[in-house]
Amino acid sequence: MATLGLIGSGNIGGTLARLAVDAGLDVVLSNSRGPQTLDGLVAELGPRARAATPAEAAAAGDWVVATIPLGNYRELPADALAGKVVLDTLNYYPQRDGLFPALEAEETTTSALVQEHLSGAQVVKAFNNIYFNHLLLLARPAGSPDRSALPIAGEDPAARASATRLLDLLGYDAVDAGTLAESWRFQRDTPVYVHPYAEDLARPGGLAQDPGSVADAAAIRDALAKAVRPAGSAE
């Protein structure tokens, strides 16, 4: 049976772990605070889940999801991730991560930074543009008429195909947005970031109370096409 390794087990990581267990995958969770801090989540997930260190989760995963604050991306275990398909959920929030001049100037993308650090891995941007509760609520089996889609981007076509297989197992279609240079199209503050999956962002309680809205592959392609970079930014 295939295994999903998770480096970071917060809202997105924990949600992906639940979807993976439901799909029949084994899950190895990790965080920066130590395996013992994940005992409750592991108990909730059941016998398919265990906790480990980030390097151990990296080594165990047929796919590995990196879901940590961008400011800590250099802490990802590059040696353990060599040869792996790494799905990168990292978003740039300057107030949390500190200023990255190259990102401020739109000279690169968050995933390009991660790929540079993980030079021996194949990085695929995924799961960064959807609220974690919507990620859980909108998952559907393959062939469902109300199945949503998520964008992906990566340098290697085989790695993008591998990520597409994982998304399918977890309940989503994939929309291939191209290389990591194109991953800006679904970063924070773009039309495909959060909005397509929300029924009403203005509702009382905000995203926490929003039941979610189906966003199929056509809707995601349309939102990607509408993304615009600030004037004067790098192409």
Side-chain angles (χ1 to χ4, degrees), residues 67-206:
T67 180
I68 63 175
L70 177 66
N72 300 335
Y73 82 92
R74 294 181 184 88
E75 297 176 10
L76 292 169
D79 289 345
L81 289 167
K84 301 285 184 174
V85 174
V86 179
L87 291 96
D88 153 36
T89 81
L90 281 59
N91 287 313
Y92 177 44
Y93 289 94
Q95 66 273 26
R96 179 196 65 188
D97 301 315
L99 287 178
F100 283 68
L103 293 177
E104 292 290 320
E106 300 278 358
E107 294 170 352
T108 189
T109 65
T110 57
S111 288
L113 292 177
V114 176
Q115 181 66 84
E116 182 179 6
H117 173 62
L118 301 179
S119 59
Q122 290 293 342
V123 173
V124 178
K125 191 72 170 183
F127 303 120
N128 68 299
N129 71 309
I130 185 170
Y131 182 58
F132 75 95
N133 200 39
H134 292 157
L135 179 61
L136 183 65
L137 293 173
L138 295 175
R140 299 288 189 275
S144 297
D146 59 344
R147 205 180 206 210
S148 291
L150 296 169
I152 63 170
E155 297 303 307
D156 181 61
R160 297 201 302 270
S162 180
T164 296
R165 289 194 296 273
L166 177 62
L167 265 66
D168 183 53
L169 288 170
L170 299 184
Y172 287 87
D173 293 333
V175 172
D176 191 336
T179 67
L180 295 180
E182 295 298 312
S183 64
W184 65 269
R185 293 185 179 277
F186 52 104
Q187 68 186 12
R188 179 175 56 86
D189 297 332
T190 61
V192 77
Y193 188 80
V194 176
H195 291 266
Y197 311 100
E199 183 177 279
D200 180 9
L201 288 174
R203 70 186 300 126

Side-chain angles (χ1 to χ4, degrees), residues 16-32:
L16 290 172
R18 290 177 174 86
L19 293 176
V21 166
D22 288 347
L25 299 178
D26 291 330
V27 174
V28 182
L29 301 119
S30 70
N31 63 17
S32 61

